[in-house]
Amino acid sequence: QVQLVESGGGLVQTGGSLRLSCAASGRTFSGVGMGWFRQTPGKEREFVGVINWNTGRTNYADSVKGRFIISRDNARNTMYLQMDSLKPEDTAIYFCAAVNTVSVNWLLPRSYNTWGQGTQVTVSS
């Protein structure tokens, strides 16, 4: 069973940067895509971005385009989320997740079969 572990969250001021990591461990990772989602209390989990593990192609939510970049290191089975120009509204728990088929909508949380435990990102104003 593949496990995902996020790291890199923390407290940062408005305009600052953070880089989150998501490491896949366990049996050989065979996912097709890996995504980032975020969630605040009382709200549904929100799509942030996704990367095709094979092609490296990415897709982002409009709210983070131009500020967030997803990358991956295939050799380390690790995905990254570089977050720049952070805003207070980016405050949330950030989750990474893996999906093993292209036949689903990668923007939806229910399409993902493996999730990390989440890491808190807090942006102070």
Side-chain angles (χ1 to χ4, degrees):
Q1 173 122 9
V2 172
Q3 294 179 327
L4 303 178
V5 179
E6 301 100 334
S7 61
L11 173 64
V12 65
Q13 291 185 332
T14 298
S17 298
L18 281 174
R19 189 175 83 151
L20 306 184
S21 299
C22 174
S25 62
R27 65 179 175 89
T28 302
F29 178 67
S30 58
V32 177
M34 290 188 73
W36 287 100
F37 291 79
R38 63 188 183 187
Q39 190 169 23
T40 54
K43 293 189 176 181
E44 294 186 354
R45 201 160 289 191
E46 174 191 24
F47 171 77
V48 173
V50 64
I51 187 166
N52 184 306
W53 199 252
N54 297 316
T55 67
R57 184 174 180 178
T58 54
N59 187 23
Y60 300 95
D62 288 343
S63 59
V64 306
K65 270 181 188 175
R67 300 188 298 123
F68 291 11
I69 296 176
I70 296 174
S71 61
R72 91 260 196 236
D73 183 333
N74 295 65
R76 289 184 167 85
N77 284 341
T78 300
M79 173 178 65
Y80 304 97
L81 178 65
Q82 177 66 40
M83 304 185 294
D84 297 323
S85 303
L86 282 162
K87 306 174 182 179
E89 51 263 43
D90 294 318
T91 295
I93 299 175
Y94 282 70
F95 298 90
C96 66
V99 57
N100 57 11
T101 175
V102 297
S103 302
V104 293
N105 185 337
W106 286 8
L107 275 62
L108 300 177
R110 65 172 182 262
S111 298
Y112 293 75
N113 52 289
T114 305
W115 289 85
Q117 82 288 352
T119 185
Q120 176 71 47
V121 171
T122 303
V123 184
S124 63
S125 57

